[in-house]
Amino acid sequence: MPGPGPTSSRRSGRASSRRSPPWGRPCRRSRPRPGPPSPIEAAARAAEPGLREGGRLVYVGAGTSARIGVQDGAELPPTFDWPEAQLGFAIAGGEGALLRAVEDAEDSGADGAAWVARAGLGAHDVVVGLAASGTTPFTVEALKAARARGAVTVGISNNPAAPILREAAHGILAVTGAEVLAGSTRMKAGTAQKVILNLFSTLLMIRLGRVYRGRMVAMRATNRKLRARGVAMVAELAGCHAEAAAEALGRAEGEIKRAVLIAGGASPARAADLLLRHDGNLRRALNEAGPA
């Protein structure tokens, strides 16, 4: 057969010199720019410095909101070894109102402000006020008084026009709409408040170095189940057998972070020193300790 003529050669040449279409070339993907922090993250960032200096984390509320605040705060010591001395609860009507409703107590703004004054709150403290309506006088006035004394204040509400969101330095809004049972804020509003507190307090503990690789490394192992969980955590994080993890925990007096360092080859004294110098942050302590 005759070879290709001059016309077909020119066409072939033109075709071979064409640029590849853009979808045929690899494209460089740019990383998305981080947006502003969420209200929960912003509140946690603001709370961190004072708490590192020994400040107190205080929950303020009345009725359902008070009970939700107590539920969140009471779980911080066993879960994250948060000191009880750095935890406080301002409850309208006092502790007795947790079990028996004292409805009129929430109407006294003076009581809320007085609680803050008696507690001597200051610049290192963090005050979290909860109110579904956002208008509860006890909680609003407590936040105002705490902010005036220099404390970091966080207001959580389910009402967009709530005074508590204006009075707090960090307002967190959860719009949950009308309740199925009209006015019963223990339902959607209360559930949303608890979710917000879960996120806020857990993020705080992460920032304070009490969590490592999604594990509760500051947990207090106070029963058989938790002691077994502690052994499993040390074995996983240190990459050792359960027997070695249990031995390390014994040498660390049950402290998981120290045990991870000991299982990795550090002496008990060296492990304690590393954690002390890194403010209890296991990640930084491990980085300095280096490979076993």
Side-chain angles (χ1 to χ4, degrees), residues 176-185 187-189:
T176 51
E179 299 286 359
V180 174
L181 183 60
S184 182
T185 53
M187 301 179 75
K188 289 196 298 182

Side-chain angles (χ1 to χ4, degrees), residues 145-166:
R147 190 173 185 180
R149 298 172 71 95
V152 172
T153 51
V154 181
I156 300 173
S157 179
N158 305 88
N159 176 11
I164 196 175
L165 300 177
R166 297 193 301 270

Side-chain angles (χ1 to χ4, degrees), residues 20 27 48 89 110 118 137 152 184 221 265:
S20 301
C27 61
E48 179 189 352
F89 302 99
R118 286 196 305 273
V152 172
S184 182

Side-chain angles (χ1 to χ4, degrees), residues 128-132 154-158 164-165 170 172-173 193 196-197:
V128 181
L130 301 103
V154 181
I156 300 173
S157 179
N158 305 88
I164 196 175
L165 300 177
H170 299 273
I172 300 173
L173 171 65
Q193 289 177 12
I196 290 170
L197 287 182

Side-chain angles (χ1 to χ4, degrees), residues 51 55-59 68-89 126 128 194 196-206 208 210-211 216-220:
L51 296 179
R56 290 163 288 179
L57 178 59
V58 176
Y59 297 79
I68 290 169
V70 169
Q71 182 184 5
D72 189 73
E75 293 185 357
L76 298 182
T79 306
F80 302 106
D81 196 29
W82 185 250
E84 281 87 350
Q86 286 182 254
L87 194 60
F89 302 99
V126 178
V128 181
K194 184 62 176 77
I196 290 170
L197 287 182
N198 282 346
L199 295 170
F200 172 74
S201 60
T202 302
L203 181 54
L204 257 182
M205 295 301 125
I206 291 171
L208 291 168
R210 293 171 185 264
V211 176
M216 300 182 294
V217 291
M219 174 191 75
R220 295 178 182 175

